[in-house]
Structure formats: C-alpha cells, structure tokens
Amino acid sequence: MEDGKLTVRAVERALDILLCFTDESDLSLTEIAVRVSLHKSTVHRLLASLEGRGFVLRDFATDKYRLGFRIWELSANMVHTHDPAMILLPEMERLRDQLDETISLYVCDGLERVRVQAVESNQAIRRVAPIGARLPLYVGASSKILVAFAEPQLLESLLKAHNLPTALERTVFLQQLAEAKELGYATSVEERELGTAAVAVPIYNQAQQLVASLAVSGPSNRLTLAKMKEHAPVLIEAARRMGKMLR
C-alpha cells in the first residue's frame, strides 16, 4: 500500500511539472522546483523520466525545459474526436472577424471554468486570452452562463464551496443568474480584471446538452454595455450554429 501511495504521488508530481508550462514556454530546473514546491533533486529525477518519455525536452544551450513532441502527439488525437475546441475554431475565427473582439470558449470543470479555445482580436488594444487558463465559477460572464444553464446541483455546490468569497452577496449572484437565463446571455464589466468586459452565451449540442460558454471580451471602454447588448443576438446565433456541429 505504501509503495502504491508513493507511485501515485510521483505521478501527481510529474503532472504538476507538466502543468507548469501552461503559462510559460520554457523553464529552468530551479523555476520548476519553485513552482511545484519540491527539492531540485526530486524535480530533476522527475524531469529525467518525462524527458525519457518525450514529454519534455531540454535545451542544452539555455539549460531550460519545454514541452516535448509527445504532448503534441496526444493533442493531435483530439482533432479526431468531438472536441469543441477544435471543431468550433473556424466559426470562432469568423465571429472574431465579424465583431473584431477576442472570442473565447469555456467549459466547466468542477467548480472552475477552463478556457479551452480562444481567438484574439486583431486590434492593437485587445483582450489577451491564454488557452488553458482556469478561472472561478462565481465571477465573469461565462461563469454566469455555465452556472445558470447547468443542472441545479452545480449552483448548490458552488454556494457551499469554501473558496466562495464571503463578500459575495448571494442574492445579487442569484439575480444575475436569473437574468442570464431570461435574456439568454450574461455580461460582466471589470468583475475579474480592471478595464475588461465580456458578454457570453451558452452552447448546446445536438442532444440539447450544455457544452460550453461562448464569450466576446475586450476593453471595457470599447465593449460597453450598449455594445454588448448589440453583440448578444449575433453571439446567440453563432452559438446556435456551433451547437449543430456538436454531438
């Protein structure tokens, strides 16, 4: 049993190392050790195993590590699945060109939302949306959509969660969810980041199951409430077309 625990712990640590590269392209041994809070000797052994399997590569010129080709082999297989991030990308690009703002696709994962796809605006000042970012479910337009249109159990779990801010007024949050369901879209202005705004709508697949949230985001001085209300019907129609592409 003890050996089994050690094995699982090693797997978890190796996965934590891979997750370090979600927001950085290359990292040194020291930088990785700091991020995962492990001794450098332990990280070095894990990196050696990952490197041997092709999941990370070491640049001997800089002595830094980056993701290996085996990661890309795994991700390439997603193209052959019903992955919304790949299937909906062309439609997201068309929507970006139509609205000239950043388009993001979010899915729910536990009590968080994950940005699984994004197409950034071509404007000089734009909303930068890194793919893979994990965000809380209690703030932001897409969070409201993913909670409002989900099964009631998700809202119950969210309200009971220990990480729910004490300053959050439950009645206001519930009112926002009710408005999102009534209107078919949700908005947010500087709720998570200063100077940004977003409007989001739900995407249902052919079986009428909630799959994701489709969002348009940008600088709040450009993406005003009036502009978001103007974008909402376009976004709803785009989500309807996208939903027909998903099983």
Side-chain angles (χ1 to χ4, degrees):
M1 176 65 73
E2 189 63 30
D3 288 343
K5 289 181 179 178
L6 290 173
T7 301
V8 171
R9 189 177 304 142
V11 172
E12 291 175 343
R13 288 173 171 177
L15 292 173
D16 286 339
I17 288 174
L18 292 177
L19 290 172
C20 288
F21 295 93
T22 55
D23 57 357
E24 293 288 346
S25 59
D26 53 9
L27 293 165
S28 68
L29 172 62
T30 300
E31 289 171 332
I32 296 171
V34 170
R35 289 185 175 220
V36 297
S37 301
L38 291 173
H39 195 277
K40 286 198 293 184
S41 61
T42 301
V43 174
H44 185 268
R45 290 195 298 271
L46 292 168
L47 283 170
S49 297
L50 291 169
E51 185 179 7
R53 292 285 186 170
F55 287 99
V56 298
L57 294 173
R58 182 183 174 191
D59 187 331
F60 290 96
T62 63
D63 206 26
K64 289 193 173 186
Y65 295 86
R66 65 177 185 273
L67 293 178
F69 295 115
R70 186 57 59 88
I71 293 290
W72 308 121
E73 290 177 21
L74 291 175
S75 62
N77 283 329
M78 296 181 70
V79 178
H80 305 295
T81 68
H82 302 300
D83 177 40
M86 302 306 301
I87 295 173
L88 303 182
L89 180 57
E91 286 293 328
M92 292 176 66
E93 291 173 338
R94 279 191 278 272
L95 186 61
R96 183 271 313 276
D97 294 340
Q98 181 179 1
L99 301 181
D100 204 15
E101 295 290 0
T102 295
I103 309 299
S104 297
L105 189 71
Y106 293 93
V107 299
C108 185
D109 184 21
L111 297 182
E112 295 179 309
R113 58 181 163 112
V114 182
R115 186 183 293 116
V116 295
Q117 189 59 277
V119 183
E120 292 185 6
S121 167
N122 291 319
Q123 300 204 53
I125 300 177
R126 61 183 181 273
R127 173 78 170 85
V128 177
I131 296 174
R134 303 181 72 88
L135 305 167
L137 264 184
Y138 50 76
V139 64
S142 284
S143 291
K144 296 171 192 175
I145 290 297
L146 291 173
V147 176
F149 291 90
E151 295 297 323
Q153 292 85 345
L154 178 60
L155 175 59
E156 293 173 8
S157 298
L158 184 62
L159 292 176
K160 293 177 182 177
H162 296 299
N163 64 343
L164 195 63
T166 55
L168 179 67
E169 295 186 16
R170 178 178 299 212
T171 54
V172 173
F173 185 55
L174 293 176
Q175 182 181 356
Q176 291 174 339
L177 298 182
E179 289 176 354
K181 292 201 73 171
E182 180 182 355
L183 297 173
Y185 68 90
T187 61
S188 63
V189 179
E190 298 186 336
E191 289 187 8
R192 198 178 60 82
E193 291 181 44
L194 290 176
T196 64
V199 53
V201 300
I203 296 180
Y204 288 92
N205 62 13
Q206 296 176 20
Q208 290 305 298
Q209 298 168 322
L210 179 65
V211 175
S213 170
L214 179 67
V216 175
S217 60
S220 55
N221 61 349
R222 188 170 68 222
L223 198 58
T224 61
L225 284 173
K227 179 62 70 171
M228 287 191 283
K229 186 176 181 180
E230 180 182 318
H231 287 338
V234 178
L235 201 57
I236 291 172
E237 176 58 24
R240 186 190 64 80
R241 293 196 309 269
M242 292 178 183
K244 290 184 176 180
M245 303 168 65
L246 304 174
R247 297 180 185 178

